[in-house]
Amino acid sequence: MSEPQLIAPQFTGDMPVGLPPWTYRSAELLELEYERVILPSWQFVCHVNQVKSPGDFATLDMRRDSVIVIRGADGELRAFANFCRHRGTKLLDGSGTCRNRIVCPYHGWSYDLSGAMVAAPSPETFPGLDKNNLGLRPVEMEILLGLVFVRVIGGGLGLKEIWGDAVRHLEPFGIESFEPAGPPNAQVWNANWKVAIDNNLENYHVPMGHPGYHRLLDLDDANGFMNQHGVAGSMATVRQRLSSNWSERRYQKLAPHALADLPEKLRKTWSFTIMPPNFGLDIYPDSMDIFQILPLGAETCQVRYPLYVRPGSSREQEVLRYLNWRINRQVTAEDRELSERVQMGMGSHGYEPGPLSTHEICLKDFHDRIRAACPVTLLANSPPAGQMRQINARMATRH
Ligand code: FES
Ligand SMILES: [Fe+2]
């Protein structure tokens, strides 16, 4: 029998406290989180404008699962598990266009663009083969404002219910019409996925951690929102006072002319929105990026951040975008460094999580969701090796 386990404090005084540090370093917990948090949640794959024509496809690779989104000959967009029904080979990589078949690179089984199995080489060696039962496995898919999401373990709330009225905050930006700006950027960070998410869920670190953003933007939590499903957002305004930094100052000066065709308010609004567990959407007047953090190892994660631009842009808008990307490249580098530093501190002997500010309310909401999905994270210390799953199951029946 194992020792009785201590429950970690969730508050100190009236202030909430984050998850215990062991939860940011455990490979066994990562498996549970992957199955209980990532796979049953909506995961972003691509923008509809990346899969416009029949045969166009995009894939999303997660820890063990990969999903294909592909436009059929009938114009329908569908999602499938990215494995062959013969012996499981991964079928497609990245994104591109299939002529009219998806052909497995192993033995050559083929599927049409609607996922139906078409043929297997040497069909006489498969007596009684029922092709109707060997099509690609469908995966749940929904589209929100032109953004395509899939859910490997289906059955939860739809995107409409999860977003509710929050979607109104995004509607004025017209992101359905945005076009991809090159292949999606991706980086591996030396931090547990939750460290990178935590970092993306609060603006409290901006004045210290992102001096450029702080010079450029007025981030006011007062206009923030969060609904009961954790969809949250805030808007920032580009400051009037010119920054001392070259790119930021140029951006401030150029934006009013380059964006003259946009309503005045949108011209200077930077909008930051998140959907649990791992999706962020940053909309700028000139472009937008998506920030999706996927678990990789116990102390590594993958950060996907594809960029999109408004269609039909002028030369001035292109310059503006270039400046924006310079500014945001710097911010991403800062976030990466800060996240990796958190990971280092988390692993130190004697570290106990400190209190969270009211600016870190989304972080608390995220941790509560992890606690609900994986009650084992309520424990102050990691369960003994090999016992995570049983202890979690036992605790789940109690909570
Ligand atoms: S695994 Fe795909 S054809 Fe054999
Ligand atoms: Fe940041």
Side-chain angles (χ1 to χ4, degrees):
M1 277 304 284
S2 53
E3 296 286 303
Q5 305 271 338
L6 274 182
I7 297 291
Q10 289 184 39
F11 284 90
T12 167
D14 287 339
M15 294 167 291
V17 169
L19 292 167
W22 72 265
T23 63
Y24 290 84
R25 304 195 315 270
S26 162
E28 280 189 62
L29 177 63
L30 193 82
E31 286 297 317
L32 277 187
E33 289 170 335
Y34 180 66
E35 291 165 19
R36 301 177 61 93
V37 179
I38 299 295
L39 292 185
S41 63
W42 290 109
Q43 293 298 322
F44 173 76
V45 182
C46 64
H47 192 288
V48 282
N49 287 340
Q50 286 169 278
V51 282
K52 275 191 233 180
S53 309
D56 286 354
F57 73 88
T59 60
L60 169 67
D61 291 338
M62 295 180 281
R63 194 169 151 70
R64 281 194 306 273
D65 296 72
S66 180
V67 178
I68 306 168
V69 164
I70 187 162
R71 177 90 51 196
D74 56 359
E76 279 290 309
L77 199 59
R78 298 179 179 86
F80 301 104
N82 191 1
F83 55 73
C84 178
R85 294 296 306 279
H86 177 217
R87 277 173 43 209
T89 306
K90 186 183 181 197
L91 295 167
L92 296 174
D93 298 310
S95 58
T97 304
C98 287
R99 276 181 177 274
N100 46 26
R101 296 279 183 272
I102 299 170
V103 181
C104 177
Y106 202 174
H107 311 95
W109 282 31
S110 56
Y111 306 87
D112 73 15
L113 302 180
S114 70
M117 186 190 172
V118 177
S122 309
E124 69 286 359
T125 64
F126 295 98
L129 181 79
D130 180 5
K131 285 191 215 156
N132 292 330
N133 277 325
L134 289 168
L136 299 181
R137 281 252 182 257
V139 171
E140 272 191 3
M141 185 194 79
E142 282 191 18
I143 300 172
L144 181 88
L145 300 176
L147 308 177
V148 183
F149 292 84
V150 295
R151 185 162 58 183
V152 172
I153 298 180
L157 293 179
L159 285 172
K160 260 210 179 98
E161 291 141 295
I162 292 173
W163 282 75
D165 283 351
V167 87
R168 281 205 218 125
H169 294 273
L170 303 183
E171 278 165 356
F173 298 98
I175 60 177
E176 296 94 325
S177 66
F178 279 37
E179 296 282 347
N185 298 305
Q187 290 181 348
V188 174
W189 291 8
N190 290 319
N192 179 275
W193 71 288
K194 299 191 296 303
V195 170
I197 305 253
D198 289 350
N199 172 68
N200 199 43
L201 293 183
E202 49 91 356
N203 290 333
Y204 181 43
H205 71 280
V206 170
M208 189 71 200
H210 301 306
Y213 254 25
H214 191 50
R215 284 190 296 266
L216 184 67
L217 297 176
D218 189 7
L219 285 155
D220 182 4
D221 273 2
N223 59 19
F225 64 89
M226 177 160 71
N227 74 13
Q228 77 268 37
H229 302 299
V231 172
S234 61
M235 309 263 182
T237 312
V238 175
R239 291 186 197 276
Q240 290 283 348
R241 206 183 66 206
L242 292 179
S243 165
S244 54
N245 168 281
W246 179 86
S247 316
E248 295 154 18
R249 194 169 58 247
R250 288 274 296 144
Y251 186 94
Q252 286 171 299
K253 283 187 174 169
L254 189 59
H257 314 287
L259 302 166
D261 53 336
L262 286 184
E264 167 144 20
K265 192 172 173 341
L266 285 196
R267 255 181 258 165
K268 29 182 201 196
T269 301
W270 287 28
S271 151
F272 304 95
T273 314
I274 53 125
M275 172 176 69
N278 63 340
F279 175 78
L281 177 63
D282 307 324
I283 311 174
Y284 317 106
D286 53 282
S287 57
M288 74 170 182
D289 64 48
I290 276 161
F291 204 69
Q292 181 183 28
I293 297 150
L294 292 159
L296 220 51
E299 301 195 69
T300 54
C301 63
Q302 195 196 21
V303 176
R304 272 181 102 215
Y305 57 106
L307 303 171
Y308 298 90
V309 297
R310 276 181 199 286
S313 53
S314 65
R315 172 87 189 108
E316 269 187 325
Q317 285 168 350
E318 276 167 26
V319 175
L320 195 69
R321 228 181 272 148
Y322 167 77
L323 294 166
N324 179 334
W325 291 347
R326 264 179 78 112
I327 295 164
N328 272 303
R329 242 197 332 263
Q330 174 66 19
V331 170
T332 305
E334 287 161 354
D335 279 330
R336 177 184 189 157
E337 181 180 349
L338 291 167
S339 296
E340 293 184 347
R341 292 180 84 89
V342 169
Q343 190 69 37
M344 287 181 216
M346 286 268 180
S348 306
H349 280 286
Y351 167 71
E352 284 171 12
L356 296 174
S357 148
T358 54
H359 290 305
E360 293 165 296
I361 187 80
C362 292
L363 206 143
K364 170 173 168 21
D365 179 79
F366 171 57
H367 289 199
D368 285 345
R369 287 173 198 282
I370 297 286
R371 289 176 179 120
C374 305
V376 72
T377 58
L378 293 163
L379 298 179
N381 298 299
S382 173
Q387 293 187 27
M388 182 84 59
R389 212 169 266 281
Q390 299 109 283
I391 293 179
N392 189 66
R394 221 162 38 225
M395 293 179 75
T397 58
R398 261 186 256 142
H399 286 86

